[in-house]
Every structure is written in structure tokens, then in C-alpha cells.
Amino acid sequence: LCAAVLLKDMKLLDVKLGQLPTWLAMRDFTPGGIVGALRRGYDRYYNKYINVRKGGLGGISMVLAGYVLISYIWSYSHLKHERHRKYH
């Protein structure tokens, strides 16, 4: 027997493209819901990469790579103007 999973309980990767608008409409976009989703994501990341018996550099390097990417995005407009400036 195949147990039917409710659409609101499905993970994003299990949702079919036609079901995506309905699935998004069932999400909780209140500030409390967003904070709860961020907390669950942080807990999953921490338990998968940081809180392990034999830890490596994977978890810390992903945080560092994310920081570098976000800082580049924030300073992109300034870097774009610097690129077009001529130095005589």
C-alpha cells in the first residue's frame, strides 16, 4: 500500500510543478512562520555539518563561501562602476 501524503506536508523537492502554486499558498508567510522556517533550516544545517562526531571543514567552508558570495552581491554596484573607470 502506498500512503498518501497531504500536499501541505510534502517537501519542496517532492512537489510537482503543477502543484507548486497550491503548495506555496499553503505556506505560512507570517513573520513567525518565516522565523520558524529559518530556525528549522539552521537546525538541519547544524546537525548535518557542525554537530557531528568526525567533523571536517565542509560546514565551516560553506558558511565562509556564503559570506563571500553575499558580500560580493552587496558590493557589486560599486565594483561595476570601478570596472568602467579609466586610470590614466
Side-chain angles (χ1 to χ4, degrees), residues 15-70:
V15 176
K16 292 188 174 33
L17 194 56
Q19 299 170 330
L20 189 61
T22 308
W23 183 84
L24 283 172
M26 292 181 186
R27 299 294 99 195
D28 184 13
F29 289 109
T30 62
I34 293 172
V35 168
L38 290 174
R39 167 76 59 175
R40 285 190 303 275
Y42 171 77
D43 289 342
R44 287 181 64 191
Y45 172 81
Y46 182 80
N47 288 326
K48 187 171 183 177
Y49 295 106
I50 307 297
N51 190 20
V52 293
R53 193 169 285 181
K54 282 184 155 182
L57 294 176
I60 303 298
S61 62
M62 283 195 300
V63 171
L64 183 63
Y67 171 73
V68 168
L69 182 68
I70 288 173

